[in-house]
Amino acid sequence: MAGIHAAVTRRRADGAPGPAGWQPQERISAAEAVRAYTLGAAFASGEEASKGSITPGKLADLVVLDRDIFACPAEEILQTRVSATVLDGRG
């Protein structure tokens, strides 16, 4: 969650460098950040055929979060906790 928080707010977990963040024009949405960590990571490792999205035929690794990070204030993303994990299609 720290990486997604940093991408969305352009701030570290301790709030530095301040409310505007570092290079605020570089902020991306939570959806863009999640896509970078899922589909983007799978593409970067050459595994987009088997990873990166919840699609029939792909590995079913996912987490259930305790809040909707697409709807909550960006500052709350850092407090988000994993409620459940599914690995290899099993919880």
Side-chain angles (χ1 to χ4, degrees):
M1 297 284 64
I4 293 171
H5 171 265
V8 173
T9 65
R10 301 301 291 150
R11 295 187 312 215
R12 297 187 321 220
D14 66 3
W22 186 75
Q23 299 293 329
Q25 72 278 7
E26 299 287 329
R27 288 184 189 133
I28 60 175
S29 69
E32 290 168 318
V34 169
R35 185 177 179 89
Y37 273 91
T38 56
L39 286 171
F43 179 79
S45 65
E47 299 174 293
E48 67 272 19
S50 63
K51 296 179 179 179
S53 64
I54 305 301
T55 307
K58 290 188 176 184
L59 298 174
D61 298 349
L62 62 102
V63 295
V64 177
L65 304 177
D66 69 353
R67 72 192 73 207
D68 181 353
I69 64 169
F70 303 115
C72 73
E75 293 73 27
E76 288 183 18
I77 293 172
L78 197 55
Q79 284 74 48
T80 302
R81 298 293 171 246
V82 175
S83 298
T85 302
V86 176
L87 182 62
D88 248 356
R90 292 184 284 272

